[in-house]
Each structure stands twice: as structure tokens, then as C-alpha cells.
Amino acid sequence: VQNEGMKEVLISCGYSEEKISVVPNLCNPKFKPSGTNRKKKIVYAGRLIRKKGVLDLVKSFHDIEPEIRAGWSLEIYGSGPLESKIQEFAEGSKNISLDYVSSEQLSKIYSESSFLVHSSKYVEPFSRIWLEVMQTNTPILCSENTSSKSVLEDKAEFYDPFSRNELKEKLKKMIEKPKLRNRLESNFK
């Protein structure tokens, strides 16, 4: 497995602890802080499917009071079956956008963002995006599960992936508290 959290999941399912080894994921050396100034931008990158929670993210951001999200943007990068639903929100909003970029462009996108939201509704064994974002020192708002807590510990703000209201409140917290974002960014360093 790729982290202690997934080891715990397998042990709780009855697998023998002695037969489970933790082999961490590797970092891509191309992902580095770019030195650009962070913009009032929230980013999501990944597959646009229900179990990734991206539609909840778009709806939660859209539901934040206009005076709080004024000047902020939510940029969604990816493709998948939910593209048309997300595009509907993007067309009706000045501050939500949908695009697809190559993986080579992601380092710059992460580096200039205020934070990334990893909204997965299932236990991902180990998200490569966590590593990429950590390498750019970009704060993360992450759905809470065994693996995310194991890997990100004090390096992310967490929320219940099945509560849109909690996601909305945590988005507001990340927007309104630059000191929190700075602390998370510092923890990556």
C-alpha cells in the first residue's frame, strides 16, 4: 500500500498486518513552487465524476455569500461526464471556470492558486495530486478519510465529504483566513 491509512483499512478488512508493506509514492521533480504571487483562486484538478465530489464543490462555492466570494474564482481543470453540468454553473457565474490543461501546466496553476480542493467522496489510496500540490507549497482543503488524514495530517484543512454545508463553511474559512493558508503552506515547506 502507499500509506499507513490504507494499511489500517486493509487490516480492518481482515488482511494480515505482517503481509502489508508501506511503499510511499514518488515525487515528480518538475513540480516546484514557481515564485509567482498567489491569486484569489481556488483550484480543482482531476476527473469530473460524481465520486470525486467536484459537483458538490462547484455548488458549495456558488452558495457562498457573494460578498465573501467577491474577487475569488474557482477554476476546475479536468474532463469527464460532469463537464456539461459544471459548464452550466460556469456560464451562469463570472467566477467559476472549466478548462483542461496538460500535466506540465499544473505546477504553475497550483503555485499561483490560494488553495486546492481535493473533494473525493471515496478513500483514495494515495492521490498523486497531494504530492504535486505539496511540492508547490499550495494549501489544501481536503475531504477527510483514512488516507488523507494519514498523509496530510497537519498539512490540510479537512471536511466531511458527504456534507455540502461543511464544505461550504470550510471554503469560507479558507477564503477568509489568510493566516490559516499561510500556516498550511509553511507546513509543506
Side-chain angles (χ1 to χ4, degrees), residues 45-85:
R47 189 97 174 103
L48 306 180
I49 56 178
R50 288 205 188 280
K51 70 180 185 177
K52 292 287 192 170
V54 63
L55 199 52
D56 284 350
L57 169 59
V58 171
K59 290 176 180 178
S60 295
F61 178 77
H62 183 266
D63 290 346
I64 293 173
E65 296 84 350
E67 61 275 8
I68 292 174
R69 66 178 155 87
W72 283 82
S73 65
L74 172 62
E75 296 183 5
I76 307 293
Y77 294 96
S79 63
L82 293 178
E83 281 181 62
S84 61
K85 288 187 182 277

Side-chain angles (χ1 to χ4, degrees), residues 5 10 13 24 36 47 57 60 64 78 91 102 117 131 161 164 167 173:
L10 291 178
C13 290
T36 60
R47 189 97 174 103
L57 169 59
S60 295
I64 293 173
E91 288 172 2
S102 68
V117 178
L131 284 178
R164 261 199 41 221
L167 173 55
K173 181 178 180 180

